[in-house]
Amino acid sequence: MPQQTDDIKTGYSLFKQPEYQEMLANKQADFEERVDQAKIDEVFEWTTTEEYQKLNFERKHITIDPAKACQPLGSVLCALGFEKTLPYVHGSQGCVAYFRTYFNRHFKEPVACVSDSMTEDAAVFGGQDNIYHGLQNAYALYKPEVIAISTTCMAEVIGDDLNAFVGNAKEGGYLPAEVPTPFAHTPSFVGSHLTGWDAMLEGMLRYFTLSDLDTAKVATVNKVNIVQGFDTYLGNYRVIKRMMEEMGVEYNLLSDPSEVLDTPADGEYRMYAGGTPIDSVKEAPMAKATLLLQGDQMVKTRKFITNTWQQEAPAINIPMGIDWTDDFLMKVSEITGQPIPESIAKERGRLVDMMTDSHTWLHGVTVSLFGDPDYLLGMTKLLTEFGCEVKHILCHNAAKRWRKKMEALIAQSPYSENAQIFVGKDLWHFRSLMFTDKPDLMIGNSYGKFIERDTRAKGEEFEVPLVRIGFPIFDRHHLHQQTTLGYEGAMTILTTLVNEVLAKLDRETSELGKTDFGFDLVR
C-alpha cells in the first residue's frame, strides 16, 4: 500500500488502486453502518423534487452551507491592504488558522496574520493578558509599523474592551506607545466578511484622521478617494489604478492588498509589500470626495466619511459592465475635472465589439447567481447587457434595502424581469432551485461545484455547469489575478461565459455519429 518512489501518485490516482478500493469497501461495510444504496438513491431523488424544495425553504433554525464568511476574515483582508500593517486577531488560534487557510488557498500566497490564542481560561477571566503578551510578541517578531486589531466570537461574547486593553498594554510597556493600533469589534455571530471589512476600514480611518479633523482642510485637494471594499480579484485594484492614471487623476486607493497577496518568487520573502501608505490615509479627508465602489457593504465607513469628515460620498454602483463603468468614470471626471481619455474610450469600444461578436451565443442563456450583494447587482447588470437571462439571485448576507435595489434593477430589463431574488438563504436552498428550475449555467464560488456534481448525479441532462466567479475560488488556479471591474473586467467575464457556453455545446454534441451534427470547428 505505500507509495513507490519511482511511481508517485496523486490522491485521486492513489485511491483508485485495488488495495485502497478494498480498504474503502471494508470501511463502509464494517464501520459506517450505511443504509442500502437503494435508500440513498431514493432520498437523493426526493431532495431534487418541488415537494422537498418547499420543505427546504420553510426551515428557519439551521443553515446548511452558508454563502458567506465571518466578520474577522473580512477585517484581516482590509488590514492587509495597508502599508507595513500586521493584522492581529484577539481570539482563538483556530479562528485565525481558518482565516489564513481561506486566503492561502484562494491567493496561493502566504498570509501574515497573528492571534493571541485565547483559550478556556481567557473565556472565563477575560483576554487582557493575551493581548499584553500577544502584542509584545507580534511587535518583537514581525516588526510591523501598524498593528490592526479585530476580534472573534470568544472575545465578543465575554465583552472584552479592545480600547482599554490596548491602552493598558501600552501603559504596561508591552507595546511602545507610538505604535499605531487601530481596531474593530468584529463578532462572527452577526454580519459577514463584508461587515468586518467595513468595520476595520472605519477603524483605520477613525484612528488616523479623527484627531486632526479640527485643523484639516476637508475636501480642498483635487483628489479622489476610492474604496473597493471586500475584493479578492487583484486585477481589479490594478485596473482601477490604471484608469485613474490614464485620466491623470490624483487618487488614494484606501486598502490595496494587491502587492502583499501577489509577491514575486525571487528569493526574497516580503511580509509587508505595497499597501496604502498611512500618510495617504491621513490625507484622505482633504480629497474632494470618496467613492465607495461597493456601497451596500460599507455602512459604517460611509457614515463616518459623510458625518465626521463632512466629505461627499456620492452613491454610485459597482463599476461592472458598460453602463456602470461609464457612470463611475463620468463621476470621477465630474469631481476632478479631468477628461476621459481616448485610450479608455477605445477600450470601451473593444468591449462593445466583443459583445457583438458573442451575442449570438449568449442571447437567451439562462443563469443563476449566488454571492455578495454589490457583486450580484453588478453581475446582474452585466449579464443583461450580454443578453443573458437571469433566473435566480441568491444572497445570504444582504439587507432589506438591497432587495429593493435589486428589484428595481431587474425590472429595467426584459432579460431579468422574471428573476427570483432570495435574501438570507444558503447554498442548500440554491441546490433545490438548480433541480426544480434548471438554468443553463450557475455563477458563484468554488462551493457551487458540489451542486454541479449533484445535478450531474441525477443525469447528464440535469447538469448545471458552474462558472467560477466570486470568493473563494479554491479548486482553480490564478483566477484571483483576473479582473471583474471596468471594461477590462467585462471583457474577462464575457470571454469566460461565452467559452463555457461553447464548451458545454461541445460536450453535448461530441457523441460520434449520434449528436456530432453540431460539432463544428468555427463558431
Side-chain angles (χ1 to χ4, degrees):
M1 196 179 297
Q3 293 263 27
Q4 301 297 319
T5 55
D6 58 349
D7 186 22
I8 300 295
K9 297 184 183 299
T10 62
Y12 171 71
S13 300
L14 188 67
F15 279 95
K16 291 172 65 178
Q17 301 305 301
E19 58 267 37
Y20 280 93
Q21 289 294 303
E22 181 182 357
M23 180 184 70
L24 292 172
N26 291 337
K27 174 176 174 289
Q28 290 178 350
D30 298 337
F31 300 104
E32 291 187 3
E33 300 181 1
R34 294 181 60 175
V35 298
D36 61 84
Q37 189 61 44
K39 184 63 175 178
I40 293 174
D41 294 341
E42 177 190 342
V43 173
F44 174 85
E45 188 65 30
W46 178 58
T47 66
T48 71
T49 64
E50 292 187 1
E51 176 192 13
Y52 180 80
Q53 178 186 315
K54 184 175 184 297
L55 293 172
N56 189 15
F57 274 75
E58 288 175 353
R59 64 182 161 90
K60 297 179 180 178
H61 304 299
I62 186 172
T63 295
I64 304 174
D65 202 358
K68 63 176 182 177
C70 66
Q71 280 206 54
L73 181 142
S75 71
V76 168
L77 181 64
C78 181
L80 287 169
F82 292 91
E83 189 176 57
K84 296 180 181 177
T85 296
L86 178 67
Y88 178 110
V89 180
H90 178 49
S92 69
Q93 188 169 331
C95 290
V96 173
Y98 152 60
F99 309 146
R100 292 181 66 184
T101 189
Y102 233 63
F103 290 133
N104 290 152
R105 289 186 289 163
H106 179 82
F107 293 107
K108 307 296 187 284
E109 290 284 329
V111 172
C113 179
V114 299
S115 161
D116 53 25
S117 301
M118 290 177 67
T119 53
E120 290 85 353
D121 57 342
V124 175
F125 301 109
Q128 183 163 251
D129 282 346
N130 295 74
I131 278 193
Y132 286 172
H133 300 295
L135 290 174
Q136 184 180 48
N137 290 337
Y139 186 70
L141 289 170
Y142 304 120
K143 307 296 190 295
E145 293 187 5
V146 178
I147 300 177
I149 307 171
S150 53
T151 57
T152 65
C153 294
M154 184 187 295
E156 291 297 325
V157 167
I158 62 178
D160 278 359
D161 185 340
L162 286 183
N163 190 44
F165 285 8
V166 173
N168 293 341
K170 290 183 176 181
E171 288 179 8
Y174 295 96
L175 184 71
E178 65 271 16
V179 176
T181 49
F183 64 86
H185 286 276
T186 52
S188 302
F189 44 80
V190 294
S192 72
H193 54 291
L194 306 184
T195 323
W197 198 99
D198 178 40
M200 178 52 74
L201 183 64
E202 192 264 356
M204 294 287 291
L205 301 184
R206 181 178 296 277
Y207 189 93
F208 288 111
T209 67
L210 191 61
S211 61
D212 296 327
L213 280 181
D214 289 342
T215 57
K217 297 178 180 179
V218 174
T220 57
V221 177
N222 192 23
K223 182 183 282 192
V224 64
N225 301 319
I226 298 176
V227 183
Q228 290 186 210
F230 186 97
D231 191 342
T232 56
Y233 281 89
L234 302 183
N236 285 345
Y237 299 92
R238 292 165 184 153
V239 77
I240 292 296
K241 289 187 280 189
R242 174 179 64 79
M243 290 193 296
M244 295 302 97
E245 287 159 10
E246 288 185 32
M247 290 180 68
V249 169
E250 291 191 51
Y251 65 94
N252 294 316
L253 189 59
L254 300 179
S255 185
D256 174 12
S258 59
E259 292 300 317
V260 73
L261 293 172
D262 191 26
T263 55
D266 58 2
E268 177 188 352
Y269 173 61
R270 301 164 176 83
M271 178 172 284
Y272 311 110
T276 301
I278 297 304
D279 284 345
S280 295
V281 180
K282 294 177 180 178
E283 296 167 359
M286 293 186 286
K288 280 193 171 181
T290 297
L291 296 177
L292 307 174
L293 304 194
Q294 298 192 66
D296 264 276
Q297 68 170 255
M298 287 182 275
V299 178
K300 285 186 177 180
T301 298
R302 181 183 296 279
K303 184 177 180 180
F304 181 76
I305 289 168
T306 56
N307 294 351
T308 305
W309 283 3
Q310 296 290 304
Q311 187 188 76
E312 183 185 6
I316 60 170
N317 294 303
I318 186 170
M320 293 179 71
I322 289 183
D323 281 355
W324 287 0
T325 300
D326 289 351
D327 292 345
F328 166 69
L329 293 172
M330 289 189 288
K331 178 57 70 174
V332 171
S333 180
E334 174 190 326
I335 292 168
T336 63
Q338 293 294 105
I340 300 171
E342 182 64 20
S343 60
I344 293 180
K346 283 184 177 180
E347 184 179 357
R348 184 186 191 276
R350 294 188 184 102
L351 170 59
V352 174
D353 183 59
M354 290 174 66
M355 290 170 63
T356 305
D357 294 340
S358 300
H359 182 73
T360 302
W361 294 105
L362 289 180
H363 175 76
V365 171
T366 57
V367 182
S368 296
L369 310 167
F370 67 88
D372 290 330
D374 290 283
Y375 151 79
L376 287 174
L377 285 164
M379 185 62 73
T380 299
K381 176 66 172 174
L382 180 61
L383 289 172
T384 58
E385 290 178 345
F386 291 164
C388 298
E389 296 182 12
V390 181
K391 293 196 76 167
H392 311 103
I393 305 162
L394 183 141
C395 190
H396 200 156
N397 50 337
K400 291 181 180 178
R401 65 180 180 277
W402 176 85
R403 175 188 282 278
K404 293 181 179 178
K405 288 180 69 172
M406 182 59 83
E407 288 173 347
L409 175 63
I410 65 174
Q412 294 174 11
S413 171
Y415 297 114
S416 58
E417 61 185 358
N418 296 318
Q420 294 178 271
I421 303 168
F422 301 93
V423 176
K425 301 301 182 184
D426 56 44
L427 292 185
W428 194 251
H429 293 113
F430 194 78
R431 176 185 180 274
S432 282
L433 296 169
M434 296 306 94
F435 283 113
T436 60
D437 190 18
K438 178 182 177 295
D440 295 316
L441 300 171
M442 59 174 150
I443 297 178
N445 63 37
S446 286
Y447 288 106
K449 73 182 295 179
F450 298 104
I451 302 174
E452 178 181 8
R453 178 192 59 183
D454 280 7
T455 59
R456 182 176 176 81
K458 186 176 173 70
E460 287 188 17
E461 67 273 25
F462 297 99
E463 182 181 10
V464 182
L466 169 66
V467 179
R468 289 162 175 80
I469 303 175
F471 172 82
I473 305 294
F474 292 152
D475 60 332
R476 297 291 186 272
H477 282 213
H478 313 308
L479 296 188
H480 67 276
Q481 298 278 9
Q482 293 183 346
T483 306
T484 62
L485 299 185
Y487 306 127
E488 181 182 319
M491 292 177 189
T492 300
I493 295 172
L494 173 64
T495 303
T496 301
L497 282 177
V498 72
N499 285 322
E500 179 56 46
V501 169
L502 295 174
K504 181 172 181 283
L505 184 60
D506 278 346
R507 293 193 298 270
E508 292 171 351
T509 60
S510 61
E511 193 172 356
L512 191 64
K514 292 187 178 180
T515 62
D516 56 351
F517 50 81
F519 198 70
D520 302 325
L521 254 186
V522 180
R523 285 175 174 164

